[in-house]
Amino acid sequence: ISAPEETHAAVLSVALEARRCAKESLSHVDGAASLLVELARIADLTPLGNAERRVSDEGVSAVLLVSESHLAVRTWPSEGYAMIDIVSCKAISHNAVEDLRRAIRERLGCQDGVSARRAFRGTALAGLLTPGQKHS
């Protein structure tokens, strides 16, 4: 059974945090970009374009625009830490979220698990959308 906010939300936000990850895997711009593409595939989202850059502490910041919204990652190699945000107007199942967590843990070599929090946003838009309307 769906929660009321899930049923009436226009957007799903999944915030993932990865801890005690391999420093090397958090330092590569190309690795961050390909991670986001892999996560989009797992969540059945459609990539449109990306941007990435190295930041001052040798970490990486990357974003992938998808037709359903976007994915973003920011890494801190010295701390073994990464934040990944997925925002989608398309539903992402609980099973897919578990697959996302597993993929992040494997790709980033995390010794600890990867936490995930789901938030349903855009409930104010629910009245503007017709039943069955795609939110992208």
Side-chain angles (χ1 to χ4, degrees), residues 9-74:
V11 176
L12 168 65
S13 175
V14 182
L16 301 119
E17 294 185 64
R19 293 177 181 83
R20 295 185 59 208
C21 303
K23 180 177 180 176
E24 310 78 47
S25 67
L26 300 173
S27 302
H28 300 288
V29 171
D30 292 339
S34 67
L35 172 65
L36 294 180
V37 170
E38 179 180 352
L39 298 179
R41 181 191 56 75
I42 291 168
D44 196 28
L45 303 175
T46 309
L48 297 174
N50 60 305
E52 56 277 321
R53 70 180 195 97
R54 181 166 310 285
V55 289
S56 60
D57 64 356
E58 296 303 313
V60 174
S61 182
V63 64
L64 176 66
L65 180 65
V66 295
S67 64
E68 300 83 2
S69 196
H70 66 277
L71 295 83
V73 61
R74 172 63 164 92

Side-chain angles (χ1 to χ4, degrees), residues 83-96:
M83 293 186 328
I84 299 100
D85 293 308
I86 302 172
V87 180
S88 175
C89 295
K90 180 179 182 179
I92 299 174
S93 71
H94 289 284
N95 288 342

Side-chain angles (χ1 to χ4, degrees), residues 65-123:
L65 180 65
V66 295
S67 64
E68 300 83 2
S69 196
H70 66 277
L71 295 83
V73 61
R74 172 63 164 92
T75 68
W76 287 265
S78 61
E79 303 300 320
Y81 178 79
M83 293 186 328
I84 299 100
D85 293 308
I86 302 172
V87 180
S88 175
C89 295
K90 180 179 182 179
I92 299 174
S93 71
H94 289 284
N95 288 342
V97 171
E98 289 306 309
D99 291 343
L100 293 166
R101 292 176 62 207
R102 189 175 311 108
I104 293 166
R105 187 174 55 249
E106 290 172 5
R107 283 285 303 267
L108 300 183
C110 304
Q111 295 176 7
D112 288 350
V114 175
S115 64
R117 287 181 295 126
R118 292 165 47 109
F120 299 96
R121 299 166 58 194
T123 55

